[in-house]
Amino acid sequence: MSTDSHSTSAMADLTPIVKLSAVNKHYGPLHVLQNINLEVTKGEVVVVLGPSGSGKSTLCRTINRLETIDDGSIEIDGKVLPEEGKALAKLRADVGMVFQSFNLFAHKTILENVTLGPIKAKGMKKAEADKLAMSLLERVGVANQKDKLPAQLSGGQQQRVAIARALAMRPKVMLFDEPTSALDPEMINEVLDTMIGLAKEGMTMIVVTHEMGFARKAADRVIFMADGQIVEEATPEQFFTNPTSARAKDFLGKLITN
Ligand SMILES: Nc1ncnc2c1ncn2[C@@H]1O[C@H](COP(=O)(O)OP(=O)(O)O)[C@@H](O)[C@H]1O
Ligand SMILES: [Mg+2]
């Protein structure tokens, strides 16, 4: 009997949190996502690398349906991403997203930025939302900024607030699209360290980044995209020491000489 319950829970754990099957998308004549197949399991950290214009942002945006797809399917924790309506809103809450530009609400305090989602989308009581938000702001190291407006914070602090805001929805997966690209160099590490902390706590993450140090340190798997296709998939160790495709070799070569 105990064996049965064990195997049941082991099977449940194998349901990918994100699963893309034969996903295609066009922007007019541009085939921006070409037959993308990708499974991300619970707790896995997948780093997406690739040259500009290869479709990385589009990939992220389809996963929480900021963009539609032409065909194929996207599942979040075993449920097909619905076209629209309440079911979409519910499933979308499972997918946290952090963009390059922090886009916090400029006229709301840091605390309000984090509590808004749980209150509006989940009907959480203010006191409970405040408590949750404060614990998340602690975790990302900006609790002492709670009463300020976003513009009063540094870029690195704002991006950590954006991470706390996404976490407040209790997502099953976090998507990061170049979260440090708009930051001054001295602020990059505080954001990457926050992300490394999340990864260590077991958060499932898909991270588009040009920070190769982060990829080496935190990624379970690296995906290399070029021209709308997943060209290569490997462990960071394999990818950085022994890339197989010409596109990946070219990409890495340019990074090193820059
Ligand atoms: N809304 C859009 N309409 C038309 N073309 C787009 C749109 N968004 C992105 N593209 C094009 O799709 C390609 C992939 O873009 P993107 O996903 O942003 O790539 P990446 O994030 O890897 O730089 C690029 O050629 C880009 O110009
Ligand atoms: Mg992009």
Side-chain angles (χ1 to χ4, degrees):
M1 218 174 111
S2 65
T3 325
D4 273 347
S5 66
H6 256 110
S7 57
T8 309
S9 65
M11 274 172 66
D13 283 347
L14 291 178
T15 303
I17 298 293
V18 176
K19 180 176 180 182
L20 281 79
S21 311
V23 168
N24 283 286
K25 178 172 182 68
H26 293 78
Y27 284 125
L30 178 67
H31 197 173
V32 62
L33 295 179
Q34 302 183 21
N35 191 37
I36 301 290
N37 293 289
L38 173 65
E39 290 190 13
V40 182
T41 55
K42 194 162 196 275
E44 196 179 12
V45 177
V46 173
V47 166
V48 182
L49 303 176
S52 175
S54 55
K56 306 178 300 294
S57 292
T58 306
L59 177 74
C60 284
R61 293 166 61 82
T62 61
I63 295 174
N64 70 349
R65 216 174 182 290
L66 291 171
E67 292 285 353
T68 56
I69 57 176
D70 300 339
D71 52 67
S73 73
I74 300 178
E75 291 170 40
I76 306 296
D77 201 13
K79 294 197 193 90
V80 176
L81 204 54
E83 295 274 306
E84 57 194 0
K86 274 204 179 127
L88 173 62
K90 192 149 177 276
L91 214 54
R92 199 180 255 163
D94 288 340
V95 183
M97 183 135 184
V98 176
F99 302 89
Q100 179 175 332
S101 54
F102 338 118
N103 37 52
L104 298 172
F105 301 109
H107 303 292
K108 296 201 179 293
T109 66
I110 296 309
L111 182 65
E112 286 165 347
N113 263 278
V114 182
T115 58
L116 197 69
I119 291 172
K120 290 256 157 141
K122 294 198 160 173
M124 195 180 277
K125 294 272 187 297
K126 186 178 176 301
E128 193 189 340
D130 280 353
K131 206 170 144 205
L132 170 65
M134 283 312 294
S135 74
L136 292 170
L137 289 172
E138 287 289 349
R139 174 159 158 196
V140 301
V142 289
N144 55 353
Q145 310 291 322
K146 71 180 175 67
D147 296 319
K148 291 189 181 166
L149 292 173
Q152 295 173 286
L153 271 61
S154 72
Q157 288 173 321
Q158 288 187 58
Q159 193 60 304
R160 286 183 283 146
V161 174
I163 293 172
R165 180 175 62 173
L167 291 174
M169 297 299 281
R170 299 276 186 232
K172 290 179 179 167
V173 55
M174 286 280 284
L175 308 180
F176 294 86
D177 190 1
E178 299 198 28
T180 60
S181 296
L183 296 176
D184 291 334
E186 70 270 22
M187 291 168 192
I188 290 176
N189 278 334
E190 65 192 52
V191 172
L192 293 179
D193 286 346
T194 301
M195 292 166 62
I196 288 168
L198 268 183
K200 284 193 180 137
E201 288 168 29
M203 177 57 78
T204 308
M205 294 163 59
I206 299 176
V207 183
V208 178
T209 186
H210 296 296
E211 294 295 331
M212 299 303 144
F214 176 84
R216 281 175 184 277
K217 211 184 292 179
D220 295 305
R221 184 157 46 121
V222 165
I223 282 177
F224 176 74
M225 282 185 79
D227 299 329
Q229 295 176 330
I230 295 178
V231 173
E232 203 158 327
E233 231 182 298
T235 62
E237 171 71 17
Q238 281 170 330
F239 183 76
F240 289 111
T241 56
N242 197 13
T244 54
S245 64
R247 293 297 304 261
K249 283 178 190 166
D250 181 54
F251 175 79
L252 288 171
K254 281 179 180 148
L255 286 179
I256 290 157
T257 50
N258 275 345

